[in-house]
């Protein structure tokens, strides 16, 4: 169970993953040694998956964000595994969610342009075994994008 210092560490690192241990400790009100021990424990226990740099997609010429709704013929492992293997292979496919509703999977895909998307769709996704159909929605604007989780909803330990 996490306490308020653990939540504060996670919240601070969500905003700036490059904080030094000293800056992090100052920000949350601990000295550096206990802050480092807590951070190490949070990493070891899997609360922190990794540290990455979030790139500006436009600067690296990735201009099209698409959400593809994929319907499968069935949910048998021999059908799903080749599809999921294909999904994992393409870096353009940023996220894959198994969903409820009218489709089976929702993919977030980012590409250079519409031609790149069409090529990925027609030569890869639609060729995967068991794919019945793909319906695409294109993102026109992104008024909100965040990677920060709402930690205020996280239950605190009794030691808070």
């Amino acid at each position: 169970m996490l306490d308020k210092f653990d939540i504060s560490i996670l919240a601070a690192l969500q905003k700036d993953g490059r904080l030094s241990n000293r800056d992090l400790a100052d920000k949350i009100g601990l000295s550096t040694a206990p802050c480092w021990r807590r951070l190490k424990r949070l990493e070891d226990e899997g609360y922190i998956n990794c540290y990455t740099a979030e790139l500006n997609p436009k600067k690296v010429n990735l201009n099209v964000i698409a959400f593809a709704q994929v319907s499968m013929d069935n949910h048998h492992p021999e059908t799903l595994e080749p599809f999921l293997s294909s999904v994992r292979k393409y870096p353009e496919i940023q996220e894959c969610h198994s969903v409820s509703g009218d489709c089976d999977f929702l993919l977030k895909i980012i590409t250079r342009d519409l031609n790149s998307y069409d090529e990925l769709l027609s030569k890869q996704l639609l060729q995967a075994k068991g794919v019945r159909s793909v319906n695409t929605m294109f993102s026109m604007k992104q008024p909100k994008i965040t990677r920060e989780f709402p930690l205020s909803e996280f239950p605190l330990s009794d030691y808070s």
Side-chain angles (χ1 to χ4, degrees):
M1 179 88 41
L2 302 180
D3 66 16
K4 68 180 180 179
F5 290 112
D6 296 329
I7 298 293
S8 295
I9 289 170
L10 294 174
L13 290 174
Q14 282 192 128
K15 292 186 184 322
D16 184 357
R18 295 182 68 183
L19 282 173
S20 69
N21 186 56
R22 175 175 303 288
D23 290 341
L24 180 59
D26 288 346
K27 189 177 270 307
I28 66 164
L30 284 176
S31 60
T32 56
C35 181
W36 183 86
R37 283 192 298 273
R38 285 171 176 273
L39 176 57
K40 181 75 173 126
R41 181 180 52 78
L42 291 168
E43 291 171 344
D44 291 346
E45 291 178 4
Y47 288 95
I48 298 170
N49 288 332
C50 66
Y51 298 91
T52 63
E54 189 170 319
L55 306 180
N56 179 334
K58 300 286 187 222
K59 294 285 190 183
V60 293
N61 200 28
L62 294 169
N63 303 301
V64 172
I65 299 173
F67 296 92
Q69 298 173 313
V70 180
S71 296
M72 305 297 293
D73 287 333
N74 61 60
H75 293 146
H76 300 137
E78 61 273 8
T79 302
L80 294 181
E81 198 43 52
F83 167 73
L84 294 174
S85 178
S86 179
V87 163
R88 289 182 197 105
K89 185 168 47 172
Y90 296 101
E92 297 90 346
I93 301 174
Q94 298 285 289
E95 297 178 24
C96 174
H97 300 265
S98 176
V99 296
S100 61
D102 294 335
C103 65
D104 299 303
F105 293 95
L106 180 65
L107 308 179
K108 178 183 177 187
I109 301 171
I110 189 164
T111 62
R112 259 187 341 270
D113 52 33
L114 289 174
N115 287 337
S116 300
Y117 177 78
D118 184 57
E119 187 151 321
L120 177 69
L121 177 67
S122 61
K123 294 189 175 154
Q124 307 305 330
L125 289 178
L126 288 173
Q127 301 305 315
K129 178 184 176 187
V131 172
R132 182 176 356 115
S133 66
V134 177
N135 293 314
T136 303
M137 298 175 287
F138 292 99
S139 174
M140 306 304 284
K141 295 180 183 174
Q142 300 85 41
K144 179 180 180 181
I145 296 177
T146 184
R147 303 280 183 261
E148 294 180 29
F149 294 138
L151 297 178
S152 62
E153 301 300 316
F154 202 91
L156 297 175
S157 71
D158 294 333
Y159 303 107
S160 298

